[in-house]
C-alpha cells in the first residue's frame, strides 16, 4: 500500500504543492465506478491525516457502495480559473488516483484510506506560456511534460 506519507518522503516539494491545492478548499470531486462500470462523479471532503489520505461517505451513499464494490477512485482538487493578466500565479489543479480501503467511520458512516497509485499536478510554467503536467507513481517516481 502506498500512503500519502510515502509520496511526501519520495518528493516532498511536489507533495507539498499537491497538498496545498487539496487543502485550499473543503470540497473535492471523486470519481467512482458504478456496478455497470460507468463512472460516477460525486462531491466529497478529503483530509490528510497521520500520513494517510482519508475520505468518507454518509451511510447508504452510492459513492461508498461503489468503493466497497470496486475500490478504484480518482480524486480531484477544487479548480479555480487563472486570473486574466496574472496567469503565472495560477496554482493549477491536482489529482490523486488509487484504491480505497474501507475502515470504520463515525456513526455508521463509511471511512476510506487511499492506496495511492498516481498523483498529478497540472499548472503553468513561470512565464505562463506552457502547460506543465507533473505526475508521480510508486513505480516510476516523478515525471514531467510541458505542452504549448
Amino acid at each position: 500500500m502506498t500512503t500519502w506519507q510515502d509520496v511526501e518522503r519520495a518528493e516532498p516539494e511536489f507533495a507539498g504543492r499537491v497538498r496545498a491545492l487539496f487543502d485550499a478548499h473543503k470540497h473535492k470531486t471523486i470519481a467512482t465506478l458504478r456496478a455497470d462500470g460507468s463512472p460516477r462523479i460525486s462531491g466529497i471532503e478529503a483530509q490528510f491525516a497521520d500520513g494517510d489520505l482519508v475520505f468518507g461517505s454518509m451511510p447508504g451513499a452510492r459513492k461508498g457502495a461503489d468503493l466497497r464494490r470496486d475500490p478504484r477512485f480518482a480524486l480531484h482538487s477544487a479548480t479555480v480559473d487563472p486570473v486574466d493578466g496574472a496567469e503565472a500565479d495560477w496554482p493549477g489543479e491536482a489529482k490523486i488516483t488509487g484504491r480505497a480501503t474501507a475502515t470504520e467511520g463515525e456513526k455508521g458512516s463509511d471511512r476510506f484510506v487511499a492506496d495511492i497509485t498516481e498523483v498529478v499536478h497540472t499548472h503553468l510554467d513561470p512565464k505562463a506560456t506552457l502547460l506543465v503536467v507533473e505526475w508521480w507513481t510508486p513505480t516510476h517516481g516523478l515525471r514531467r511534460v510541458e505542452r504549448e
Side-chain angles (χ1 to χ4, degrees), residues 19-39:
R19 183 171 179 166
L21 288 166
F22 275 99
D23 287 345
H25 300 277
K26 183 175 186 175
H27 297 106
K28 290 79 170 146
T29 305
I30 192 168
T32 59
L33 295 170
R34 299 171 191 253
D36 67 1
S38 62

Side-chain angles (χ1 to χ4, degrees), residues 2-89:
T2 302
T3 66
W4 180 251
Q5 187 173 41
D6 295 328
V7 179
E8 289 179 318
R9 284 181 184 150
E11 292 293 338
E13 192 274 333
F14 171 77
R17 285 187 278 124
V18 168
R19 183 171 179 166
L21 288 166
F22 275 99
D23 287 345
H25 300 277
K26 183 175 186 175
H27 297 106
K28 290 79 170 146
T29 305
I30 192 168
T32 59
L33 295 170
R34 299 171 191 253
D36 67 1
S38 62
R40 182 190 316 270
I41 300 292
S42 305
I44 197 164
E45 295 175 19
Q47 301 84 33
F48 298 94
D50 300 322
D52 286 318
L53 171 61
V54 296
F55 43 88
S57 177
M58 294 171 53
R62 297 293 20 156
K63 65 186 158 203
D66 288 347
L67 290 169
R68 285 190 305 278
R69 185 186 56 263
D70 185 328
R72 293 177 292 172
F73 72 90
L75 184 68
H76 194 281
S77 68
T79 302
V80 296
D81 292 333
V83 175
D84 288 341
E87 289 85 355
D89 295 333

Side-chain angles (χ1 to χ4, degrees), residues 59-143:
R62 297 293 20 156
K63 65 186 158 203
D66 288 347
L67 290 169
R68 285 190 305 278
R69 185 186 56 263
D70 185 328
R72 293 177 292 172
F73 72 90
L75 184 68
H76 194 281
S77 68
T79 302
V80 296
D81 292 333
V83 175
D84 288 341
E87 289 85 355
D89 295 333
W90 180 58
E93 61 184 22
K95 297 175 269 281
I96 299 174
T97 60
R99 290 180 169 19
T101 300
T103 64
E104 191 170 324
E106 295 180 18
K107 300 177 188 173
S109 65
D110 291 323
R111 181 178 187 269
F112 298 93
V113 176
D115 176 4
I116 297 169
T117 57
E118 184 179 59
V119 180
V120 179
H121 181 205
T122 303
H123 56 97
L124 298 174
D125 74 324
K127 294 181 181 179
T129 58
L130 298 173
L131 181 69
V132 179
V133 181
E134 296 175 282
W135 71 102
W136 179 91
T137 65
T139 305
H140 296 103
L142 186 62
R143 294 179 280 175

